[in-house]
Amino acid sequence: MTAKLIKGTEIREEILGEIEEEVKKIKAEHGKVPGLVTILIGENPASMSYVTLKIKTATRLGFKEIQDSQPVDISEEDLLALIDKYNNDDSINGILVQLPLPKHIDDKKILNAIDPDKDVDGFHPINVGRLMIGGDEVKFPPCTPAGIQEMIIRAGVETSGAETVVVGRSNIVGKPIANMMLQKGPGANSTVTVVHTRTKDMDVHCKRADILIVAAGVPGLVKPEWIKPGACVIDVGVNRVGEKISEKTGKKIAILRGDVDFDAAKEIAGSITPVPGGVGPMTITMLMVNTLKSLKFQMGIA
Ligand code: NAP
């Protein structure tokens, strides 16, 4: 069997097209656009490239976009004051502080200072709680899990009554996606199992999965014989396993591999995400979805 490829790059374009249309309509009817501020501390090259991509996407969609770059030695007090300024700015619907932060700043204190109604990353404890309750309580599901669920829905995979197995229990992927898949509602209603480093017989759990979501950060962890024939396999892992010269630019680029042995798995699974080009492009896309939602909540039209 050759699995159907679930391509994040294609789903991203579909969703961004939908957002673009909605932004135009809201602007024409109400004269408002979503506002997103990205706060970048210092000059970490990986952080700078993520932020650039976020800004490029927001600008393409017609959002108001502010990039607020601050020196690496900014004090915690000044950073908190900056967040307070944006919390009180009605033209800003989403506040994003790019992690990691310098060591002298307490991440938790900073993330918890963001107004939960502008926390488009969905990491504030109030939004984590809302996600746990589910249904109408949910405002901003965290972006990577939201992207995973959206891919599953758009690929037409049946989730209701499905055995969903999640490999990994991190706060940013494993725990939230497990919680989202077991809620009552579309794209959920699954029976969920979460496995991790202390799980016995991980293969036995994986083999039961109609939907297998893997977020461990271990290249090739999931073996083809662990996959149930016809299953939907979502590979969240992004592992740098070497370098190569890009044919397009002639520059050195990383060779990326997922947590699943893709070449063998695609002969067994019913559908599967590639790495790169699978879950990766969905994270920024869902950040844009959340920022638009935030404006709609503010306007009372969500
Ligand atoms: P993380 O915080 O390191 O968590 C990894 C989880 O996997 C932990 O719960 C760990 O179990 C479990 N795990 C690790 N090795 C395992 C093994 N051999 N057997 C069973 N479980 C194992 O990682 P993360 O932030 O969730 O990210 C996971 C992967 O997804 C990474 O490759 C990351 O780069 C990628 N990622 C991609 C995106 C994107 O594409 N947009 C976004 C986020 C993350 P314990 O809890 O027992 O230690």
Side-chain angles (χ1 to χ4, degrees):
M1 184 195 297
T2 300
K4 173 184 160 190
L5 269 191
I6 308 177
K7 292 185 187 162
T9 42
E10 284 179 6
I11 299 175
R12 169 185 61 194
E13 291 312 308
E14 256 174 57
I15 297 174
L16 293 184
E18 291 162 12
I19 299 177
E20 216 169 342
E21 284 309 305
E22 213 176 335
V23 170
K24 272 189 204 150
K25 193 164 171 267
I26 293 175
K27 190 176 178 184
E29 287 173 8
H30 305 275
K32 286 190 175 219
V33 296
L36 177 68
V37 60
T38 38
I39 302 175
L40 174 67
I41 314 296
E43 293 179 352
N44 176 326
S47 296
M48 285 168 78
S49 89
Y50 288 137
V51 164
T52 306
L53 206 57
K54 286 169 189 170
I55 293 168
K56 227 170 113 183
T57 311
T59 309
R60 165 187 161 183
L61 298 175
F63 286 17
K64 169 181 169 178
E65 161 62 46
I66 298 176
Q67 188 198 346
D68 194 328
S69 295
Q70 295 292 329
V72 72
D73 59 354
I74 186 173
S75 67
E76 195 173 87
E77 201 187 353
D78 286 350
L79 183 52
L80 287 168
L82 194 65
I83 290 172
D84 193 48
K85 181 181 99 174
Y86 290 120
N87 279 345
N88 289 301
D89 180 343
D90 282 347
S91 71
I92 294 299
N93 306 103
I95 302 172
L96 198 141
V97 179
Q98 185 64 47
L99 299 177
L101 293 175
K103 286 203 171 63
H104 67 279
I105 295 178
D106 179 353
D107 290 20
K108 230 193 236 172
K109 211 169 174 183
I110 298 300
L111 295 181
N112 291 357
I114 297 173
D115 178 347
D117 290 343
K118 296 189 178 187
D119 167 43
V120 286
D121 258 339
F123 292 151
H124 192 288
I126 287 189
N127 284 318
V128 176
R130 286 171 173 163
L131 189 79
M132 176 64 96
I133 296 167
D136 292 348
E137 280 292 329
V138 182
K139 280 207 152 180
F140 306 120
C143 300
T144 302
I148 295 169
Q149 192 178 40
E150 194 63 34
M151 293 179 100
I152 294 172
I153 294 171
R154 289 189 186 232
V157 174
E158 180 57 85
T159 58
S160 181
E163 291 281 342
T164 293
V165 176
V166 178
V167 181
R169 55 176 166 180
S170 71
N171 287 333
I172 62 165
V173 190
K175 277 194 254 179
I177 190 61
N179 178 38
M180 289 162 77
M181 296 304 291
L182 68 78
Q183 296 289 351
K184 273 192 180 175
N189 280 324
S190 281
T191 303
V192 179
T193 305
V194 182
V195 301
H196 45 78
T197 55
R198 308 297 165 91
T199 300
K200 288 178 192 150
D201 305 326
M202 208 165 84
D203 58 325
V204 174
H205 294 286
C206 292
K207 275 181 200 164
R208 276 193 294 108
D210 302 308
I211 300 171
L212 182 60
I213 300 169
V214 192
V218 181
L221 171 69
V222 170
K223 308 288 174 265
E225 59 274 21
W226 297 8
I227 295 169
K228 180 173 170 179
C232 167
V233 179
I234 306 287
D235 189 353
V236 190
V238 180
N239 306 292
R240 286 166 190 262
V241 295
E243 284 184 334
K244 63 178 180 184
I245 302 293
S246 159
E247 283 176 17
K248 262 194 204 161
T249 61
K251 287 183 183 166
K252 257 194 205 170
I253 53 166
I255 301 173
L256 301 179
R257 290 273 182 279
D259 290 350
V260 177
D261 176 354
F262 178 80
D263 288 335
K266 76 177 193 317
E267 301 304 324
I268 303 163
S271 53
I272 189 166
T273 58
V275 177
V279 176
M282 295 300 292
T283 301
I284 291 181
T285 305
M286 299 316 286
L287 178 73
M288 301 301 143
V289 169
N290 277 351
T291 308
L292 172 58
K293 241 193 207 173
S294 178
L295 171 67
K296 287 163 68 181
F297 282 131
Q298 185 200 53
M299 295 170 66
I301 59 169

